């Protein structure tokens, strides 16, 4: 059993003892996502694949948050914000746009490179530690500077 699964199980027990229904629901969502992916692939997921599942759930929750904000639904905004905080706990520290630009500079990527190539390379370099939107923005700023 992977480290993430062990952590999710332990946190699930804690959430149940504390009767924290929101945290329990989020953990169930993450565990189900991982389990469904494993069933689809008929094998255990690697750590990187597990992180992708967690990132996918985070992205969907952020989209729900945006929809709630557009509809001026404070109840949805509050609930989704709480879920985001719980999901982010299971991801590595996320890199900022500036940190990604520093990484691009460290790798010595030329400013004449195509955006697509650089984004692809940076997505591999930052796997799990930066969202695609952040990487894309950082690459665009780096290449245009």
């Amino acid at each position: 059993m992977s480290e993430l699964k062990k952590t999710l199980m332990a946190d699930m027990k804690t959430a149940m003892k504390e009767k924290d229904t929101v945290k329990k629901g989020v953990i169930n969502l993450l565990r189900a996502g991982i389990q469904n992916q494993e069933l689809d692939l008929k094998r255990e997921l690697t750590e990187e694949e597990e992180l992708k599942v967690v990132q996918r759930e985070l992205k969907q929750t952020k989209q729900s948050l945006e929809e709630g904000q557009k509809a001026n639904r404070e109840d949805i905004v509050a609930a989704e914000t709480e879920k985001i905080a719980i999901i982010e706990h299971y991801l590595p520290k996320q890199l900022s746009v500036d940190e990604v630009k520093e990484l691009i500079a460290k790798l010595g990527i030329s400013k004449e490179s195509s955006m697509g190539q650089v984004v692809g390379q940076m997505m591999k370099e930052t796997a799990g530690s930066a969202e695609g939107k952040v990487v894309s923005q950082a690459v665009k700023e780096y290449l245009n500077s």
Side-chain angles (χ1 to χ4, degrees), residues 93-101 129-130 134 138:
K93 180 190 168 291
Q94 297 296 292
L95 298 173
S96 69
V97 173
D98 291 333
E99 290 170 323
V100 175
K101 284 198 292 191
S129 60
V134 172

Side-chain angles (χ1 to χ4, degrees), residues 55-72:
Q55 284 177 317
R56 184 173 56 232
E57 295 299 336
L58 178 63
K59 185 176 181 181
Q60 289 173 350
T61 306
K62 284 184 176 180
Q63 288 172 341
S64 298
L65 173 67
E66 287 175 19
E67 294 299 319
Q69 288 170 333
K70 286 179 189 171
N72 290 325

Side-chain angles (χ1 to χ4, degrees), residues 73-124:
R73 295 277 312 268
E74 288 304 315
D75 55 332
I76 293 174
V77 170
E80 296 303 310
T81 303
E82 188 176 353
K83 287 180 186 177
I84 288 170
I86 294 168
I87 295 171
E88 284 177 340
H89 172 75
Y90 298 103
L91 288 170
K93 180 190 168 291
Q94 297 296 292
L95 298 173
S96 69
V97 173
D98 291 333
E99 290 170 323
V100 175
K101 284 198 292 191
E102 285 175 24
L103 183 59
I104 295 170
K106 267 188 206 167
L107 293 173
I109 294 172
S110 117
K111 293 187 189 273
E112 286 79 43
S113 303
S114 79
M115 180 148 173
Q117 286 178 320
V118 179
V119 169
Q121 184 179 352
M122 292 313 298
M123 288 304 293
K124 288 177 187 162

